[in-house]
Amino acid sequence: MSTTQHHILSVLVENRPGVLARVASLFARRGFNIFSLAVAPAEQEGMSRITIVVDVETTPLEQIVKQLFKLIDVVKISELDPRQAVERELLLASVRAAATERGQVLELVQIFGGTIVNVGPDAVTVSLEGHPDKLNDFEDLLRPFGLLELQRTGRIALPKLDRDGR
């Protein structure tokens, strides 16, 4: 990550058609920068959780939250400080791996705890799950081999559990 300051919003919304479009439209209309966006059904039936990583240097977080609460389908917004959250992301990458370099790529995947999910004659597709910083490092080390395709899911996050049991 660069020096840009990011913050994570976990937004619980009613799972209805068009909700994501309204949230994305709100960000576009207001000129808010979305760094990452992930959506999936939540623990409550009929609800979805939208995890939005926003750039808080260009727009105050309070303004973003106020605007989101104006949307009728938004039920709850949790602000997660990255230092107080567990963050994960998934990376899939197809990387050039000729016979002479394949061992190096496989070793790198193993060191990072990734898996090989597909093998071709001159390339492999790898998968890695982890903190976004770990994925950034992995991606940087794969680049010299030749990235053919790369896809990342965007961050998902939950608050860290209280270790005192409170």
Side-chain angles (χ1 to χ4, degrees):
M1 229 184 313
S2 67
T3 59
T4 305
Q5 184 182 359
H6 295 100
H7 210 81
I8 305 163
L9 295 175
S10 179
V11 184
L12 190 64
V13 297
E14 295 179 22
N15 190 353
R16 295 186 188 167
V19 173
L20 179 60
R22 284 190 288 281
V23 169
S25 161
L26 171 115
F27 276 78
R29 279 192 321 269
R30 301 287 182 186
F32 300 158
N33 185 30
I34 297 175
F35 182 76
S36 173
L37 179 72
V39 185
E43 65 281 0
Q44 298 170 329
E45 190 171 329
M47 302 293 225
S48 288
R49 185 170 314 282
I50 303 174
T51 305
I52 308 168
V53 180
V54 294
D55 173 357
V56 294
E57 287 183 353
T58 59
T59 308
L61 187 62
E62 302 80 39
Q63 185 179 1
I64 295 170
V65 171
K66 284 179 186 175
Q67 294 299 318
L68 279 171
F69 263 129
K70 290 181 180 181
L71 298 177
I72 194 160
D73 297 309
V74 172
V75 176
K76 180 181 177 185
I77 300 173
S78 300
E79 301 171 27
L80 304 174
D81 183 316
R83 295 167 299 198
Q84 300 300 318
V86 177
E87 304 175 58
R88 290 294 177 265
E89 191 174 349
L90 174 67
L91 171 146
L92 283 175
S94 292
V95 61
R96 214 177 304 286
T100 56
E101 298 174 325
R102 189 161 293 195
Q104 292 173 299
V105 172
L106 296 177
E107 184 178 351
L108 188 59
V109 170
Q110 187 177 29
I111 289 169
F112 275 83
T115 56
I116 303 292
V117 294
N118 197 1
V119 178
D122 296 318
V124 294
T125 301
V126 300
S127 171
L128 180 65
E129 169 273 327
H131 189 277
D133 291 341
K134 175 182 175 181
L135 273 57
N136 290 342
D137 293 344
F138 184 65
E139 184 180 330
D140 289 345
L141 291 169
L142 286 179
R143 281 197 185 282
F145 294 101
L147 282 176
L148 302 173
E149 291 185 88
L150 175 75
Q151 177 67 47
R152 290 175 69 161
T153 59
R155 292 182 209 189
I156 55 172
L158 290 174
K160 286 184 180 177
L161 298 174
D162 185 6
R163 293 180 186 232
D164 295 337
R166 286 181 255 157

